Amino acid sequence: GVRHFRAASLLSRKVMERDPWLMRGGGQVRVSHSSLNYKDGLVILGRPGVVKDWPIVPGIDFAGTVVESKSPKFKPGDAVVHTGWGVGERRWGGMAGLASSRGSWLVPLPAGMTPERAMAIGTAGFTAMLCVQALEDAGVTPEWAGGAPVLVTGASGGVGSVAVALLAARGFTVVASTGRPELEGYLRGLGAAEVVGRAGLADEAAHRALDKETYAAAVDTVGGLTLTTAITRTRYGGAVAACGLAGGGDVPRLTVFPLILRNVRLLGVDSVMAVPPLRARAWDGLACLLSPAALESLTQVVPLDQVPPLAADIIDGKVRGRVVVAL
């Protein structure tokens, strides 16, 4: 273990020396925890779409302690969390003893939050929080919704699970859509008032260009026809925050009718390149809204050697909630 740690340290330093951008304001973080995300699963299984240059260390997020810093924002000993910025895709990721990072990519670990809890939130929870913030910035608040439900698609996955918990904690009535009916109790435990099957949202035969106004808003982690249906069933003045494409990258059969006749807004949410002020706001919100009990119910903690088989499971949609990797 010590030998591997030293090797990782040496390689990490070499990566920094080849990257002047990192050297100008970067540093190194001793990683204590990472997490397994959908992108990590693709990388570990060697699937196309994420990595162009090999070899690569996966782990698109990590938490740990600064050991070296060229940034005035951080000093050795500071606890930090990282998500996005191409780490684990274009640059070596968090599933290692050390990780190189630029200071502007790091966020101070919120007071009272442990690294394990930060990775239980991770990229998935951070993305879910960005979706909730996008809806509220668009005027979709619990007061405006007036009890009308907010739909969460792909609700049993990492982003969806946290979105359910966040929306419920914020005071929304949540409808959770999932293809795993056996997880209804789990989703209700997170705060869902109703659980529906995913088939009803992806039924081409039942599709309408302008459907019944069912939801005040939606958080969509799936894409494809599911996203189309969510938009067509959103009520006047509502919004749909879209952040995933597990069900496809297109939006088939969508017309402009719900957008211009119902003033429905489609909000694209990206967590990779989100600017630092948005990141700080999201992590502050996560620290306040997500209770440790809610996080524990949707999280499993595993050592690094259990990650490969779980990578296949997360791609196949068999992983419930979040997987934290303890390094």
Side-chain angles (χ1 to χ4, degrees):
V2 172
R3 184 170 64 253
H4 291 163
F5 181 85
R6 288 174 177 166
S9 176
L10 178 61
L11 286 169
S12 184
R13 288 177 186 273
K14 288 182 178 179
V15 168
M16 287 189 68
E17 289 166 1
R18 292 198 305 266
D19 192 339
W21 192 39
L22 279 174
M23 287 298 290
R24 283 197 298 270
Q28 289 189 314
V29 176
R30 178 172 288 113
V31 179
S32 64
H33 295 80
S34 185
S35 71
L36 179 65
N37 298 277
Y38 190 85
K39 283 183 178 180
D40 299 318
L42 292 174
V43 173
I44 292 166
L45 296 177
R47 303 281 179 86
V50 177
V51 175
K52 295 181 180 179
D53 297 318
W54 302 86
I56 191 77
V57 174
I60 63 173
D61 52 21
F62 60 81
T65 305
V66 174
V67 293
E68 179 183 338
S69 177
K70 298 180 182 295
S71 168
K73 293 178 57 179
F74 298 99
K75 63 183 184 301
D78 286 347
V80 293
V81 60
H82 171 279
T83 61
W85 299 112
V87 171
E89 301 176 61
R90 299 186 300 276
R91 295 176 175 84
W92 286 17
M95 293 189 193
L98 287 176
S100 299
S101 180
R102 197 176 186 189
S104 59
W105 297 349
L106 300 171
V107 177
L109 194 68
M113 183 179 289
T114 64
E116 181 179 309
R117 185 182 173 200
M119 286 299 96
I121 296 170
T123 292
F126 174 60
T127 303
M129 190 70 215
L130 291 178
C131 289
V132 174
Q133 289 178 173
L135 292 179
E136 295 196 331
D137 289 346
V140 178
T141 64
E143 296 74 23
W144 178 85
V150 174
L151 173 69
V152 177
T153 68
S156 59
V159 179
S161 293
V162 182
V164 170
L166 286 172
L167 289 165
R170 186 65 183 84
F172 288 99
T173 301
V174 182
V175 173
S177 168
T178 180
R180 303 175 66 186
E182 71 274 13
L183 295 182
E184 179 172 351
Y186 161 73
L187 292 169
R188 288 188 180 274
L190 292 177
E194 182 181 356
V195 179
V196 299
R198 69 182 176 195
L201 297 173
D203 185 356
E204 290 195 31
H207 171 75
R208 297 180 182 179
L210 204 60
D211 214 329
K212 181 180 179 182
E213 295 179 79
T214 306
Y215 307 111
V219 172
D220 175 66
T221 74
V222 177
L225 188 60
T226 297
L227 174 56
T228 303
T229 304
I231 294 170
T232 63
R233 294 183 184 177
T234 297
R235 79 179 195 186
Y236 189 94
V240 176
C243 64
L245 44 69
D250 56 348
V251 191
R253 304 183 67 177
L254 178 66
T255 70
V256 299
F257 294 143
L259 307 181
I260 63 176
L261 297 182
R262 287 186 181 163
N263 194 34
V264 173
R265 284 146 295 176
L266 176 58
L267 311 171
V269 174
D270 166 63
S271 64
V272 176
M273 303 298 290
V275 295
L278 198 60
R279 290 175 181 272
R281 177 188 168 198
W283 279 100
D284 287 344
L286 287 162
C288 295
L289 284 177
L290 273 180
S291 70
L295 273 179
E296 185 177 349
S297 70
L298 60 84
T299 304
Q300 56 177 312
V301 182
V302 301
L304 190 60
D305 60 4
Q306 290 185 21
V307 168
L310 284 170
D313 288 343
I314 200 168
I315 296 302
D316 293 338
K318 297 177 181 178
V319 171
R320 187 194 80 172
R322 297 283 295 141
V323 177
V324 172
V325 182
L327 295 165

